[in-house]
Amino acid sequence: MTDQHEQHSPSPAQFERGTDGPKVIVVGVDGSDSSLRAAAYASGLARRQHALLAVVYVQPVLAAGAALGAPVAETTDEIAEDLVAYIREAAERVKGIFEVRWEFHTFRGDPYSGLVKAADELKADAVVVGASEQAGHRIIGSVAVRLVKAGRWPVTVVP
C-alpha cells in the first residue's frame, strides 16, 4: 500500500490589508478645526504603528460657470499651499520628539470621491477624517458616514 500525499503549492502572495497593523494611513484635511484634529490624531497613530501618513487635501471642482468668473482654482491652490505650510510647521515643532513619515497629496473633486480615490491609489489600510461641521450633513450624510458605508477601510472619525 502506498502513501498518497497531496501536494498543494502555496497560492501566490496576495496583498492583505491590516495584517500587521496599518502601513498607510490616509487623513483628509481641508483646513477646518476638525480636520486638523484628525491630522494630529492620525500622525500619532502613524507614529505608534510606524506607518506612512498620507495627508490628503481634495480641491473642490466647480461646474463651469458656477464660480461666475471667480478665480476658484487659485483660491483652492492657496488653501493647499497653506495646509502644506501648516503641516510642515507642525512637523518641525515635533521633529525632536518623534519622526513620522508623511506625504502630502492633492486630489480634485468632491471630498468623498477624492478620498476614495486617494485611499485606493495609496493602498490605504485606514482612513481618518474629522467630523463634519456642517449642519446639513446631519440630514444628507457626511463624508465620514459615506466612507464608513463604503466598507472598504477602517474609518476613524475625529470630533
Side-chain angles (χ1 to χ4, degrees), residues 29 56-62 71-81 104-118 121:
V29 293
V56 175
Y57 170 62
V58 181
Q59 290 183 288
V61 175
L62 298 181
V72 175
E74 289 176 20
T75 303
T76 56
D77 285 343
E78 286 174 18
I79 292 170
E81 288 171 16
F104 187 87
H105 299 271
T106 302
F107 289 80
R108 290 187 183 271
D110 68 276
Y112 170 77
S113 297
L115 285 172
V116 166
K117 183 176 181 183
E121 287 185 13

Side-chain angles (χ1 to χ4, degrees), residues 2-159:
T2 61
D3 288 335
Q4 293 183 355
H5 295 286
E6 288 184 34
Q7 289 188 334
H8 297 283
S9 59
S11 60
Q14 291 183 318
F15 178 71
E16 184 177 353
R17 292 185 174 143
T19 53
D20 295 320
K23 295 297 176 202
V24 177
I25 299 169
V26 167
V27 61
V29 293
D30 62 6
S32 67
D33 287 343
S34 67
S35 78
L36 296 177
R37 286 190 297 271
Y41 176 88
S43 76
L45 184 61
R47 175 184 55 83
R48 290 186 298 278
Q49 297 292 329
H50 306 289
L52 172 67
L53 178 64
V55 179
V56 175
Y57 170 62
V58 181
Q59 290 183 288
V61 175
L62 298 181
L68 300 174
V72 175
E74 289 176 20
T75 303
T76 56
D77 285 343
E78 286 174 18
I79 292 170
E81 288 171 16
D82 288 348
L83 286 170
V84 171
Y86 175 83
I87 292 160
R88 283 200 175 113
E89 287 171 18
E92 286 298 317
R93 282 196 301 270
V94 296
K95 195 173 185 179
I97 301 169
F98 61 82
E99 288 290 324
V100 176
R101 291 180 306 124
W102 64 277
E103 302 171 347
F104 187 87
H105 299 271
T106 302
F107 289 80
R108 290 187 183 271
D110 68 276
Y112 170 77
S113 297
L115 285 172
V116 166
K117 183 176 181 183
D120 283 345
E121 287 185 13
L122 300 169
K123 291 186 172 56
D125 295 300
V127 178
V128 179
V129 292
S132 175
E133 297 177 352
Q134 296 181 9
H137 286 172
R138 292 187 189 106
I139 300 165
I140 60 171
S142 67
V143 171
V145 169
R146 293 173 67 195
L147 288 168
V148 169
K149 286 182 178 180
R152 292 161 65 180
W153 323 269
V155 177
T156 301
V157 182
V158 177

